[in-house]
Amino acid sequence: MRVYVYVLEAKGLPVRDSYVKVQVGKLKSKTRVVERAENPRWNEEFVFRVHDCEEEVVLSVYHHEDGRGGLFGSSGELLGRVKIPVWSVADEENRILPPTWFAVGKPKAGKFIRKDCGKILVSISLHGSLQDTSSDSPLFPSSNINSNQAEEEMALAKSQAQKIQDGKHWMKAIANRLEKIFAKHEDVSETCASSEVSGTPSDYEDCVEKQQSDYSFEEALSMMQSRDCQREMPEDLQGGILCDQIYVVRPYDLNIFLFAPDSKFRRDLANLEGTTDLEEEPWTLKQEDPPLLTRTVTSTKAATKLVKAVKATEQQSYLKADGKHFAIFVEVSTPEVPYGNAFKVELLYKIMPGPEEGSGEESARLIISWRVNFHQKTMMRGMIEGGARQGLKDSFYHFENLLAQSFRTLDSAELSDKGQIIASLENEQQSDWQLAIKYFCNFTMLSTICMVVYVIIHILLCKPSEPRGLEFLGIDLPDSLGELVACGIITIQVQRVFYMASHFVQARLQRGSDHGVKAQGDGWILTIALIEGTNVASLSSTGYSDPYVVFTCNGRTKTSSVKLQTCDPQWNEIVEFDAMEEPPSILDVEVFDFDGPFDQATSLGHAEINFLKHTSTDLVDMWIFLEGKLAQSAQSKLHLRIFLDNNNGVETIKEYLTKMEKEVGKKLSMRSPHRNSTFQKLFKLPPDEFLVSDFACSLKRKLPLQGRLFLSSRIVGFYANLFGHKTRFFFLWEDIEDIQELPPSFISVSSPSLVIILHKGRGMDAMHGAKSQDEEGRLRFHFQSFVSFNSASRTIVALWRTRALMPEQTEQIAKEQYDQENTTVLVDEATILDKKDADMSKIYSAELPIEMSSLMELFGGGKKEHQIMEKSGCLNYSATEWEHVKPGTFERSVSYKFNRHISIFGGEVTITQQKVSTDDGWTVDEVMALHNIPFEEYYRVQLKYKIEKSGQNHSSCKCDVYIHIIWLKSTKFQHRITRNITSKLSQRLKDIFELVERLS
């Protein structure tokens, strides 16, 4: 005899990670672990062979704890058990125990001994799968047991069950009576039929959940919409994205097209892929809280080169359906494939509203994500995931092509037509007169105008009267209490109107000088279309506020206009940030209540938009919920359209890397498109993120984890893959508060460590990679075992300092460095050029068979000089005319750029030259300053050329060249830089004078 145990779900568990162990006799099995769910759903079937109806089906519910129990794990903490005798199932009609809720018994020991352990929904059958005998229920697979075997097992079960039939009802009655007395945690409504011996499908159920199959698909969706408007959309599955496309169709229509019963699209897709025996069971609405709409789809997948044709079962469930947003979770089981019992493939279909087209048509965004859920350990995990990934990609390639034949798709160019959106918003802006009419048309203004007009008319109509009481000529005091009250009311009304008028004028001037100004410059341009806001919090008794929005990005601030007396403001405004050299990471959005130009503004809510966690499609049309006590209580949100463009293309990236080379002190080259793409997919980054550098290192936690540290323009990321267990996280440069270097120690295996400390509350997504969290709540990351610690440390610190400083601070530092450099160069040049052969070394000496006049053409500024310098590797060579500065002394300036053969940095050179006439010839002194290279501000190079007539031959001359390096700042690389410059210039001078000799 075989017993089929179907573990469906549980509710009211005191933990969020749980699984169930099923035992019949000495045979055991267990379900997969369902994480982060107090009401888990397993929907798994187990088959056991039994030889005696006296045996029991024991269901043990456990709490799963990650990392507990050392290296080999642990079975977890027992929540409780449910024991179901086999004879009780044999006594049921058709020997089937329908889905029944059982209370989980408390354990005798452990931390759950005094807690309510919830209930578990179980179904048991003694004659194969329930599909054969209960076709109305879509929950159970088909059976392979023939009818003769079932009849033999039925006869055996009846003979054994007859012996205990008489005492069974007495046991039921006693058990139900004891349950009423001692079950303190159970509600009377939950034990609706437990006291009756008959009249229920099973005497052991607490309350049977009835399956509602009487609704059509559209009616079931309507019922879910009425009860399920607050559930959020689930996150994408971790395996990856199979489809992310926008179609010109309503979300509801796309959902009907894909998942309606007998969908033509499903049939066409099955024919295209070669799938046969496609059977779709009707959708079933489970009356739960919240309701759940499910169905089962079976088919036979076509054979491939590696796998034969196999049967596949899909369990489809609606997680959300509110009319505009739909989430369908699909579990695909293929037990006939190799290791098919060890895993299930899970898919998540998400259908959401997309951006509107210019013509006003609605669109729907379809996102399909996947993962492989392993409920048994296997060494073939990597191979299974790879095969599933490839199979799904092939399948959804046909899926997208077939769907595109029915609905038109929107590409990124259509979605991000910034000019069209900006033009449409500018047309929707209201004039100042319209805003004034809307603002001043209220009871206060109208009543004040009426009272003022009434008083003026009264003054014009009344005749002067003689002074009374304490009055004298020119003063008319109130003659009664009523007149005094009327004067007070008029004064208050006029004061109120004056305040409203001044408030309106100040609000219209709040736009600021930056509002509406077009972005300028080359680099990253951020354009924000502020559409509207809803449910903006109010601080006044009127229930309205005067909101305006402040945007902050890379230290720069832009302000919107003020909308007066509204909780649902309509801005329709465009805000643009000037071009930024570095790609922005975060946009801070904060809403304030306007109180006047000199009052302290009150924040009504704030939000943060991380550009690395949103695609361009997400940014082009998004609603953001504001944070803060006021905003959360009012459920405030803003409607934005954001465009982040790079108007200089690859040149912006090159300029960024060139600037970083100065800070890092080494050459940084652009990575290949393939490597950049791999980096972006690894951390799910947008396509405009580019890799700067990466290092092999070890992440220090309880146990060191060897991986790789990736550095880009905006993030620091770490990735490791240890036997299939992947560790992946990243955080922003702006999140870093401090970087510390720890010396080598015994614990770090004689390797220095780099400690990165984040700001409090930042980088919480990367918490699993942090070694510790200090008392201030800051995360600390320890990295060690770098191949070259100095190079990695210098690169990381340089990139962090560049991103950590505000743009104003960077500009100020650059200006100070520029002023200091220019001042130093001028002072040094004036001093250096006056020096005479002090501490100079000879690097070149030769007697050239040319006349001295021909050699001096090298410093003449003519065509020959340009020709020689360009052939020697100088680009963009230019020189000023010689100027007479003092008797016998001339001075000029020279500038050029080295080509890549001479310097990999392609540094720029500026030279100040002086030539002095001597008795035997000429002396040329020059001071050379190198730019756009590492350590450029640390030194200057002085060269002295001594050109004299040769004493042996009048048609030849002698040339000696001396060098001296003047150090403006101290550095440990002085010796290395001196040696490099001396050797390079010595060879370069030799080449130059050979060219002079050849061209003379």
Side-chain angles (χ1 to χ4, degrees):
M1 181 186 300
R2 294 178 183 174
V3 56
Y4 289 74
V5 182
Y6 204 102
V7 182
L8 298 174
E9 56 184 292
K11 64 180 180 180
L13 300 183
V15 296
R16 299 179 67 85
D17 301 334
S18 57
Y19 64 95
V20 179
K21 283 187 177 181
V22 184
Q23 180 177 358
V24 178
K26 296 182 179 181
L27 303 176
K28 299 179 181 179
S29 187
K30 69 176 183 179
T31 66
R32 71 182 189 279
V33 177
V34 177
E35 299 178 352
R36 298 185 296 275
E38 294 180 358
N39 300 323
R41 294 185 177 92
W42 292 284
N43 293 333
E44 295 188 27
E45 187 180 29
F46 304 91
V47 183
F48 302 92
R49 183 173 294 277
V50 295
H51 303 283
D52 189 358
C53 283
E54 297 296 332
E55 294 185 7
E56 293 180 328
V57 177
V58 181
L59 305 170
S60 303
V61 185
Y62 283 87
H63 173 216
H64 175 72
E65 297 179 358
D66 289 332
R68 185 174 175 225
L71 182 62
F72 299 101
S74 173
S75 60
E77 187 76 18
L78 178 64
L79 296 179
R81 286 192 174 92
V82 173
K83 297 182 179 180
I84 306 172
V86 175
W87 57 260
S88 63
V89 181
D91 191 50
E92 295 287 342
E93 184 178 358
N94 294 330
R95 296 195 303 169
I96 299 174
L97 177 66
T100 306
W101 287 100
F102 292 91
V104 179
K106 297 179 181 178
K108 296 182 180 179
K111 60 182 179 181
F112 300 103
I113 189 172
R114 298 184 181 276
K115 293 185 178 180
D116 181 8
C117 298
K119 295 183 177 183
I120 184 171
L121 182 63
V122 183
S123 179
I124 303 177
S125 171
L126 287 180
H127 52 88
S129 171
L130 301 185
Q131 184 116 11
D132 298 335
T133 57
S134 179
S135 59
D136 295 336
S137 177
L139 296 174
F140 311 104
S142 60
S143 174
N144 295 324
I145 302 176
N146 56 42
S147 57
N148 295 332
Q149 183 181 357
E151 291 177 0
E152 294 176 0
E153 294 177 354
M154 177 91 61
L156 178 61
K158 285 183 178 181
S159 62
Q160 294 183 354
Q162 186 65 34
K163 301 178 182 178
I164 51 178
Q165 182 68 24
D166 297 336
K168 176 181 141 183
H169 294 289
W170 290 101
M171 293 173 61
K172 293 181 188 177
I174 295 173
N176 292 332
R177 188 63 180 172
L178 291 175
E179 183 180 1
K180 282 186 176 182
I181 298 174
F182 295 104
K184 299 179 181 179
H185 63 279
E186 294 292 340
D187 195 348
V188 176
S189 61
E190 293 180 349
T191 57
C192 51
S194 59
S195 61
E196 299 179 8
V197 177
S198 60
T200 61
S202 174
D203 295 302
Y204 288 91
E205 67 181 358
D206 294 321
C207 185
V208 178
E209 296 287 344
K210 297 182 179 179
Q211 307 295 331
Q212 301 292 335
S213 303
D214 300 334
Y215 305 104
S216 66
F217 180 59
E218 290 78 6
E219 291 174 344
L221 287 178
S222 301
M223 293 188 64
M224 288 195 67
Q225 178 179 351
S226 62
R227 304 182 187 181
D228 181 33
C229 58
Q230 299 297 329
R231 276 198 291 188
E232 297 183 357
M233 291 289 284
E235 296 290 335
D236 294 334
L237 301 181
Q238 297 86 354
I241 302 297
L242 297 170
C243 175
D244 187 354
Q245 188 59 266
I246 298 178
Y247 299 93
V248 183
V249 61
R250 289 197 314 154
Y252 182 84
D253 295 338
L254 180 60
N255 172 66
I256 295 294
F257 184 79
L258 294 178
F259 296 100
D262 298 326
S263 169
K264 183 177 181 298
F265 174 79
R266 288 284 178 179
R267 300 289 177 182
D268 294 341
L269 182 61
N271 295 333
L272 184 63
E273 295 179 343
T275 302
T276 58
D277 301 333
L278 179 63
E279 295 183 4
E280 299 178 352
E281 295 188 359
W283 286 98
T284 303
L285 183 64
K286 294 183 178 180
Q287 298 292 349
E288 302 178 359
D289 189 17
L292 185 65
L293 187 61
T294 64
R295 76 168 176 179
T296 302
V297 178
T298 59
S299 61
T300 302
K301 299 293 183 181
T304 64
K305 294 181 180 180
L306 300 178
V307 181
K308 64 178 183 179
V310 296
K311 291 185 178 180
T313 303
E314 296 184 13
Q315 186 70 32
Q316 301 177 355
S317 304
Y318 272 86
L319 302 182
K320 182 176 179 65
D322 62 1
K324 292 186 176 181
H325 298 80
F326 301 90
I328 302 93
F329 183 72
V330 180
E331 280 187 326
V332 184
S333 59
T334 51
E336 296 180 4
V337 302
Y339 302 95
N341 294 322
F343 70 93
K344 287 184 179 180
V345 177
E346 298 178 351
L347 301 171
L348 179 62
Y349 293 75
K350 295 199 302 185
I351 303 175
M352 302 169 289
E356 291 186 3
E357 260 201 311
S359 59
E361 288 186 88
E362 293 187 40
S363 63
R365 183 181 181 187
L366 174 63
I367 301 177
I368 306 174
S369 56
W370 72 283
R371 71 179 175 191
V372 179
N373 189 358
F374 290 89
H375 45 79
Q376 292 181 14
K377 293 183 179 180
T378 173
M379 296 179 62
M380 308 302 293
R381 182 186 183 108
M383 186 188 73
I384 293 173
E385 287 183 338
R389 183 186 298 109
Q390 186 60 42
L392 290 172
K393 284 184 178 180
D394 296 340
S395 175
F396 280 92
Y397 173 78
H398 299 299
F399 179 94
E400 288 188 354
N401 290 340
L402 185 60
L403 191 58
Q405 296 176 10
S406 301
F407 304 107
R408 182 169 62 89
T409 60
L410 292 180
D411 55 16
S412 58
E414 295 180 73
L415 294 176
S416 57
D417 189 359
K418 185 168 65 174
Q420 182 180 357
I421 294 176
I422 291 176
S424 62
L425 292 178
E426 289 176 348
N427 295 333
E428 295 177 4
Q429 292 185 5
Q430 292 179 314
S431 65
D432 290 343
W433 283 108
Q434 292 174 327
L435 294 173
I437 293 173
K438 184 178 180 180
Y439 178 68
F440 288 109
C441 285
N442 52 45
F443 177 77
T444 300
M445 178 61 68
L446 295 177
S447 62
T448 302
I449 293 175
C450 292
M451 293 181 67
V452 170
V453 171
Y454 177 79
V455 170
I456 292 175
I457 295 175
H458 171 71
I459 292 173
L460 295 176
L461 295 179
C462 70
K463 297 180 180 180
S465 60
E466 296 182 356
R468 300 177 181 179
L470 299 178
E471 295 177 353
F472 56 87
L473 186 62
I475 289 186
D476 187 9
L477 298 177
D479 297 333
S480 65
L481 182 62
E483 291 183 1
L484 181 63
V485 172
C487 292
I489 293 175
I490 294 175
T491 303
I492 294 174
Q493 290 286 83
V494 172
Q495 183 181 7
R496 174 63 180 166
V497 171
F498 175 78
Y499 170 77
M500 290 176 62
S502 62
H503 192 71
F504 178 81
V505 174
Q506 293 170 1
R508 299 311 297 160
L509 297 177
Q510 181 64 22
R511 291 180 175 219
S513 60
D514 60 353
H515 184 75
V517 178
K518 297 296 182 181
Q520 299 177 353
D522 294 331
W524 301 88
I525 292 182
L526 177 62
T527 305
I528 304 169
L530 176 60
I531 311 297
E532 59 183 327
T534 58
N535 300 326
V536 177
S538 173
L539 298 175
S540 63
S541 58
T542 60
Y544 297 102
S545 59
D546 304 325
Y548 67 95
V549 185
V550 176
F551 300 97
T552 305
C553 184
N554 277 8
R556 303 177 185 178
T557 299
K558 298 286 182 178
T559 306
S560 75
S561 62
V562 180
K563 295 301 175 183
L564 300 171
Q565 295 298 299
T566 179
C567 287
D568 299 316
Q570 298 284 334
W571 277 286
N572 296 322
E573 296 176 359
I574 306 298
V575 177
E576 283 192 336
F577 286 81
D578 286 337
M580 296 169 275
E581 296 180 0
E582 300 164 355
S585 305
I586 293 175
L587 174 65
D588 289 319
V589 183
E590 190 159 11
V591 181
F592 292 94
D593 185 23
F594 180 74
D595 290 330
F598 302 107
D599 295 333
Q600 184 176 3
T602 304
S603 176
L604 301 179
H606 61 91
E608 180 181 276
I609 300 174
N610 191 331
F611 294 119
L612 295 167
K613 296 183 179 180
H614 294 86
T615 63
S616 58
T617 306
D618 296 331
L619 294 174
V620 79
D621 191 7
M622 65 186 312
W623 284 89
I624 58 171
F625 285 89
L626 300 179
E627 299 178 0
K629 294 182 179 179
L630 293 173
Q632 290 178 346
S633 62
Q635 295 184 350
S636 306
K637 57 182 180 179
L638 294 179
H639 187 194
L640 303 176
R641 291 185 173 182
I642 303 174
F643 305 90
L644 181 60
D645 303 315
N646 181 5
N647 65 353
N648 204 18
V650 182
E651 293 300 322
T652 303
I653 302 175
K654 291 181 179 179
E655 292 173 2
Y656 174 82
L657 294 176
T658 303
K659 185 179 70 172
M660 288 297 101
E661 287 173 356
K662 303 178 187 178
E663 303 292 336
V664 175
K666 70 174 185 178
K667 179 66 177 176
L668 297 175
S669 58
M670 289 187 61
R671 303 305 176 97
S672 65
H674 174 71
R675 188 166 179 80
N676 269 325
S677 176
T678 303
F679 164 68
Q680 293 158 7
K681 291 179 181 179
L682 192 62
F683 294 99
K684 299 179 182 179
L685 300 173
D688 55 5
E689 188 68 9
F690 56 94
L691 181 63
V692 175
S693 186
D694 58 300
F695 303 96
C697 67
S698 174
L699 176 65
K700 185 178 179 183
R701 295 189 295 183
K702 292 182 179 179
L703 290 175
L705 181 62
Q706 186 67 30
R708 200 159 192 87
L709 189 67
F710 294 87
L711 308 179
S712 75
S713 57
R714 292 183 279 189
I715 72 161
V716 180
F718 180 82
Y719 175 78
N721 188 346
L722 182 62
F723 302 114
H725 180 73
K726 299 178 182 179
T727 301
R728 179 192 299 112
F729 64 85
F730 71 86
F731 47 83
L732 302 176
W733 288 109
E734 290 85 344
D735 295 339
I736 301 177
E737 180 178 346
D738 191 18
I739 298 179
Q740 300 174 356
E741 295 183 8
L742 300 182
S745 62
F746 177 77
I747 299 177
S748 62
V749 197
S750 301
S751 172
S753 300
L754 198 66
V755 182
I756 298 180
I757 305 173
L758 304 189
H759 289 283
K760 181 180 179 181
R762 305 294 298 184
M764 290 302 170
D765 294 341
M767 182 183 293
H768 61 280
K771 182 179 183 297
S772 61
Q773 188 173 3
D774 59 16
E775 60 278 359
E776 298 180 9
R778 302 178 302 178
L779 298 177
R780 303 172 70 93
F781 298 83
H782 289 238
F783 300 99
Q784 61 187 30
S785 302
F786 290 95
V787 176
S788 176
F789 179 81
N790 292 332
S791 175
S793 174
R794 187 168 65 250
T795 304
I796 293 172
V797 172
L799 291 172
W800 167 59
R801 285 178 177 172
T802 304
R803 297 291 301 192
L805 293 177
M806 305 293 281
E808 293 80 3
Q809 296 174 314
T810 305
E811 293 175 3
Q812 182 65 23
I813 292 174
K815 183 179 179 181
E816 292 176 357
Q817 289 179 349
Y818 178 77
D819 295 340
Q820 181 181 1
E821 179 181 326
N822 288 348
T823 304
T824 305
V825 170
L826 292 175
V827 173
D828 287 345
E829 288 176 359
T831 305
I832 293 168
L833 292 174
D834 289 338
K835 288 187 177 182
K836 305 296 182 182
D837 300 342
D839 300 328
M840 301 193 76
S841 303
K842 184 184 292 187
I843 62 171
Y844 179 80
S845 179
E847 188 168 339
L848 304 174
I850 58 175
E851 294 182 357
M852 185 172 60
S853 59
S854 297
L855 180 59
M856 286 304 296
E857 290 182 6
L858 180 62
F859 306 100
K863 181 178 179 181
K864 186 175 181 180
E865 178 185 357
H866 283 76
Q867 185 180 5
I868 292 172
M869 299 307 291
E870 288 175 357
K871 285 187 176 182
S872 64
C874 297
L875 304 176
N876 304 325
Y877 186 86
S878 64
T880 63
E881 297 292 333
W882 288 101
E883 296 181 1
H884 188 271
V885 293
K886 54 185 177 180
T889 303
F890 301 88
E891 185 173 315
R892 72 168 182 172
S893 297
V894 179
S895 65
Y896 56 85
K897 184 177 181 181
F898 288 127
N899 63 19
R900 296 289 175 177
H901 296 289
I902 298 177
S903 173
I904 61 173
F905 298 101
E908 297 179 358
V909 181
T910 57
I911 298 175
T912 301
Q913 289 182 343
Q914 281 187 0
K915 68 177 181 178
V916 180
S917 177
T918 62
D919 296 337
D920 298 330
W922 292 89
T923 299
V924 180
D925 289 300
E926 71 176 34
V927 176
M928 180 186 298
L930 306 177
H931 305 284
N932 298 328
I933 63 172
F935 302 99
E936 62 177 72
E937 71 276 10
Y938 281 70
Y939 60 89
R940 296 292 179 266
V941 181
Q942 181 186 6
L943 293 174
K944 182 183 289 291
Y945 301 83
K946 286 187 176 183
I947 303 173
E948 301 174 349
K949 294 181 180 180
S950 175
Q952 301 177 357
N953 190 352
H954 294 287
S955 62
S956 63
C957 62
K958 182 181 180 182
C959 179
D960 296 326
V961 184
Y962 300 85
I963 188 172
H964 177 56
I965 298 180
I966 302 95
W967 290 98
L968 308 178
K969 298 179 183 180
S970 177
T971 174
K972 62 182 180 180
F973 299 106
Q974 287 185 9
H975 180 69
R976 185 186 303 177
I977 293 174
T978 301
R979 184 176 68 249
N980 179 266
I981 292 176
T982 302
S983 62
K984 292 293 183 181
L985 288 182
S986 176
Q987 182 62 37
R988 175 172 163 74
L989 290 170
K990 182 180 178 181
D991 297 338
I992 290 176
F993 285 109
E994 286 180 356
L995 285 171
V996 174
E997 183 180 352
R998 193 182 310 140
L999 296 176
S1000 297

